[in-house]
Amino acid sequence: MVRWQPGTRERLQEAALELFARRGYEQTTAAEIARSVGLTERTFFRHFSDKREVLFQGQDLLLDAFLDGMAAAPDDATPMELIGTALESVAAFFPGDRRDRSRLRQSVIDQHPALQERERHKLSTLATAIGDALRARGVPEPAATLAAESAITVFSVSFAQWIREGEERSIAEIERAVLSELRGLAGGVV
Amino acid sequence: MVRWQPGTRERLQEAALELFARRGYEQTTAAEIARSVGLTERTFFRHFSDKREVLFQGQDLLLDAFLDGMAAAPDDATPMELIGTALESVAAFFPGDRRDRSRLRQSVIDQHPALQERERHKLSTLATAIGDALRARGVPEPAATLAAESAITVFSVSFAQWIREGEERSIAEIERAVLSELRGLAGGVV
């Protein structure tokens, strides 16, 4: 049996989500997650520091997506244009076939205050890093912080809508609508 | 010696902040806080469930200030006008003579990740309650959530500026400037 193969991490993630959702997050151990896909606990810990991190391991990739989106924007882009390109870039991170998995993940998080706190921490860390990137591009305060926080707000609101039952639009489409709503709201049009 | 007197809670708060800042949050017990102002631990726990809550006990009053501000606005106020009146109302909560105490409190929080998490939780709870109040006034989604999150962002950015060394403007004045910056930013003026 070949134990090491491409996708080991992904298999562990799938298995973890499935067990968390079916048996409960607290009741599931790292060893059980590994065993359910024919791997050892040792292999699990080569990929994740603990079972909670299975749910948050995408955080760095998500940040990269935000930053790459901003890096690709023209030099003279306004803060809101930078937020727009960042959100477009992030949308690629959530293709349609990931929607069910995102729903499952959210349902696990919604049931555990400690995981909700970890999620808040993640979003707060993302906002800080986006603010840093905006400041590095010369955006002054408080515009940089306001734009960074707005990016995270638009992303969170869009993500929550994207995983709602019956929602069929892509996250990119939802983000554009929410960003436009924010612009109208703040600009006093709405 | 008269042990019960108006301001017992405030004396405990002052003493706690002073001890947290001078000796460290972890190193300070509820009993020591009480003793430092001639009270018993028992009296401390009549006012606060634990030493952490000394730092967060104003949360409900802060929420009331946001909600009262919105309640006082005319029926046809736009979401951003509601946010404006809420922020004005909240400013009354932070008179100039509270600035040093707010600085001290923030310096304690900045040193402890668990307190930072409690602060994030507080702000997230405030945003949810403000969103609920906006929805109750008939503001649809996603405008209600966007406006509520924006209110908390403007408040947080303004508060951070208000307690910066050398800052002399009132929090009301800073809030107006930050809100106007957000409007310009989102509206595409900046």
Side-chain angles (χ1 to χ4, degrees):
Chain A
M1 181 179 168
V2 180
R3 284 194 176 270
W4 183 270
Q5 54 186 16
T8 298
R9 176 188 289 264
E10 289 69 25
R11 282 164 61 212
L12 286 166
Q13 281 180 311
E14 294 272 322
L17 268 185
E18 199 265 324
L19 286 170
F20 290 165
R22 183 160 54 85
R23 304 185 29 193
Y25 174 75
E26 299 292 357
Q27 287 73 45
T28 302
T29 66
E32 287 167 335
I33 296 166
R35 218 160 36 227
S36 77
V37 284
L39 297 167
T40 61
E41 188 176 10
R42 191 184 164 88
T43 298
F44 178 94
F45 286 114
R46 209 170 286 141
H47 289 278
F48 304 102
S49 59
D50 57 41
K51 69 176 179 179
R52 191 182 67 168
E53 288 316 298
V54 179
L55 296 166
F56 294 97
Q57 168 276 347
Q59 177 174 351
D60 293 342
L61 297 173
L62 186 59
L63 175 58
D64 289 345
F66 271 104
L67 300 182
D68 289 348
M70 291 196 278
D75 285 352
D76 62 350
T78 65
M80 285 311 274
E81 284 167 350
L82 289 167
I83 294 319
T85 58
L87 289 168
E88 266 173 55
S89 164
V90 160
F93 202 70
F94 298 96
D97 61 9
R98 197 169 151 170
R99 194 171 336 215
D100 282 340
R101 207 185 112 195
S102 290
R103 275 186 187 128
L104 207 55
R105 174 181 178 278
Q106 194 63 45
S107 73
V108 173
I109 290 177
D110 287 347
Q111 287 167 45
H112 295 87
L115 297 177
Q116 290 164 27
E117 133 58 8
R118 179 69 181 76
E119 184 75 359
R120 278 195 298 274
H121 180 64
K122 180 183 98 174
L123 294 171
S124 155
T125 303
L126 286 173
T128 302
I130 295 168
D132 288 343
L134 288 167
R135 280 183 289 274
R137 283 185 76 112
V139 177
E141 282 300 336
T145 298
L146 291 172
E149 294 288 344
S150 297
I152 292 301
T153 297
V154 170
F155 169 69
S156 302
V157 167
S158 303
F159 180 82
Q161 180 59 41
W162 183 63
I163 59 172
R164 200 156 292 170
E165 278 315 319
E167 176 62 60
E168 291 187 353
R169 288 174 298 168
S170 69
I171 198 166
E173 201 177 336
I174 299 170
E175 282 174 349
R176 282 192 292 272
V178 173
L179 187 59
S180 152
E181 180 89 18
L182 177 66
R183 298 186 76 136
L185 196 66
V189 179
V190 176
Chain B
M1 181 180 170
V2 180
R3 284 193 177 269
W4 183 270
Q5 52 187 16
T8 297
R9 176 188 290 264
E10 289 70 23
R11 282 165 61 213
L12 286 167
Q13 281 180 310
E14 294 271 323
L17 268 185
E18 199 264 324
L19 286 170
F20 290 164
R22 183 159 54 84
R23 303 186 29 195
Y25 173 76
E26 299 293 356
Q27 288 73 46
T28 302
T29 67
E32 286 167 335
I33 296 166
R35 216 157 42 223
S36 77
V37 284
L39 297 168
T40 60
E41 189 177 9
R42 190 185 165 89
T43 298
F44 178 93
F45 286 114
R46 208 170 287 139
H47 289 278
F48 304 102
S49 58
D50 57 41
K51 70 176 178 178
R52 192 182 66 167
E53 288 317 299
V54 179
L55 297 166
F56 294 97
Q57 168 277 346
Q59 177 174 351
D60 292 343
L61 297 173
L62 186 58
L63 175 58
D64 288 346
F66 271 104
L67 300 182
D68 289 349
M70 291 196 278
D75 284 350
D76 62 351
T78 66
M80 286 311 274
E81 285 167 351
L82 289 167
I83 293 320
T85 58
L87 289 168
E88 266 174 54
S89 164
V90 160
F93 202 70
F94 299 96
D97 61 10
R98 196 169 152 171
R99 193 169 339 213
D100 283 340
R101 207 185 113 194
S102 290
R103 275 187 187 126
L104 207 56
R105 173 180 177 279
Q106 194 62 46
S107 72
V108 174
I109 289 177
D110 287 346
Q111 287 166 46
H112 295 86
L115 297 177
Q116 290 164 25
E117 133 58 7
R118 179 67 181 78
E119 183 76 357
R120 278 195 299 274
H121 180 65
K122 180 183 100 174
L123 294 172
S124 156
T125 303
L126 286 173
T128 302
I130 295 168
D132 288 344
L134 288 167
R135 281 183 288 274
R137 283 184 75 113
V139 177
E141 282 301 335
T145 298
L146 291 172
E149 294 289 342
S150 296
I152 292 302
T153 296
V154 171
F155 168 70
S156 302
V157 167
S158 303
F159 180 83
Q161 180 59 41
W162 183 63
I163 59 173
R164 200 155 290 171
E165 279 315 319
E167 176 60 62
E168 291 187 352
R169 289 173 298 169
S170 69
I171 198 166
E173 202 177 336
I174 299 170
E175 282 174 350
R176 281 192 293 272
V178 173
L179 187 58
S180 153
E181 179 88 17
L182 176 66
R183 298 185 76 136
L185 195 65
V189 179
V190 175

